[in-house]
Amino acid sequence: MGFAGNKAEVNLPTHKRARLQKVHVIACGAIAREVLAISRINGLDHIDLHCLPAIYHSYPQKIAPALEQAIAEARANGFEKIFIGYADCGTGGDIDKICEREGIERLSGPHCYSFFAGNEEFAARADQDFTAFFLTDFLARQFEAFVIQPLGLDRHPELKEMYFGNYKKLIYLSQEEDETLQKKAKEAADYLGLEYEYRFTSYGDLATELLAI
């Protein structure tokens, strides 16, 4: 009788059994490199990563509809365990509504700067970093494509003052200690006319939460 109770699972096609054992992580493409690195370093072979376009980082209104579609597709493909690799990320609580409705979890915190720094640490520094503009490794690499071009600064550099006039410093939250990226981040700070500050965070709460799932 006990064996018969497991019969349905035993007869599942191999690819469907594999999906039942996996955690399907639907993440922002801007953190794909970090998720893969954490998985590789820690042997997290059970994580199945699917990334939405990184450019949604600049257009948060597109995130929730894309997540709903990605979740539906994952369910249709047999994934039972799903985890959302986004914080709130400027969606005004829309991701939380999806998570509550679907019974799934997301990364803690308001955005990637917070979970890379560590959500508690980021919150503790909120007052002193109130006038800071943040970069991660991804944004240091893609500063032109994800900051300059979306804001139109390549066409209208005079807009820099309008967008960044109230900022005092640029803080580079670094996941990997890379001198080339540090140079790029410093150049970004100079371009925006901001003081430069470097903080090595490694993967912060992203690593903690991926390990927990």
Side-chain angles (χ1 to χ4, degrees), residues 9-21:
E9 183 175 339
V10 170
N11 289 335
L12 280 174
T14 302
H15 68 283
K16 287 192 175 181
R17 289 203 306 272
R19 287 171 181 173
L20 289 173
Q21 297 164 2

Side-chain angles (χ1 to χ4, degrees), residues 22-178:
K22 295 269 188 184
V23 178
H24 187 67
V25 176
I26 305 172
C28 175
I31 65 169
R33 186 186 186 104
E34 288 73 27
V35 173
L36 291 173
I38 293 165
S39 298
R40 183 181 67 253
I41 292 166
N42 295 282
L44 305 183
D45 297 332
H46 62 288
I47 287 182
D48 181 84
L49 178 63
H50 172 73
C51 286
L52 300 182
I55 195 61
Y56 290 176
H57 187 280
S58 301
Y59 303 97
Q61 72 275 12
K62 296 184 178 183
I63 297 174
L67 278 176
E68 289 184 308
Q69 181 178 344
I71 291 168
E73 291 174 354
R75 301 278 197 214
N77 286 327
F79 290 104
E80 290 191 347
K81 178 68 174 179
I82 299 173
F83 183 80
I84 302 301
Y86 281 87
D88 179 73
C89 297
T91 65
D94 285 347
I95 293 178
D96 286 333
K97 292 175 185 176
I98 293 171
C99 288
E100 183 177 0
R101 184 169 65 247
E102 296 287 342
I104 55 183
E105 297 180 357
R106 69 162 174 87
L107 289 170
S108 302
H111 40 62
C112 58
Y113 315 118
S114 181
F115 64 65
F116 276 137
N119 287 309
E120 290 186 6
E121 175 72 10
F122 191 87
R125 290 177 176 262
D127 289 342
Q128 67 188 79
D129 292 342
F130 184 71
T131 58
F133 180 75
F134 293 92
L135 293 184
T136 61
D137 283 3
F138 177 86
L139 289 175
R141 288 188 188 93
Q142 303 289 342
F143 182 73
E144 182 171 355
F146 279 74
V147 179
I148 294 178
Q149 292 178 5
L151 295 178
L153 301 181
D154 52 334
R155 303 180 300 278
H156 301 285
E158 69 276 7
L159 293 176
K160 278 194 290 185
E161 178 61 27
M162 184 180 78
Y163 285 123
F164 296 96
N166 291 324
Y167 290 102
K168 302 299 182 185
K169 59 184 176 180
L170 180 150
I171 299 177
Y172 173 28
L173 302 173
S174 168
Q175 286 69 69
E176 297 180 9
E177 294 182 291
D178 185 313

Side-chain angles (χ1 to χ4, degrees), residues 186-202:
K186 178 63 168 62
E187 289 172 351
D190 292 342
Y191 173 81
L192 297 177
L194 303 176
E195 297 176 14
Y196 175 69
E197 183 175 335
Y198 173 77
R199 295 179 191 169
F200 176 66
T201 66
S202 188

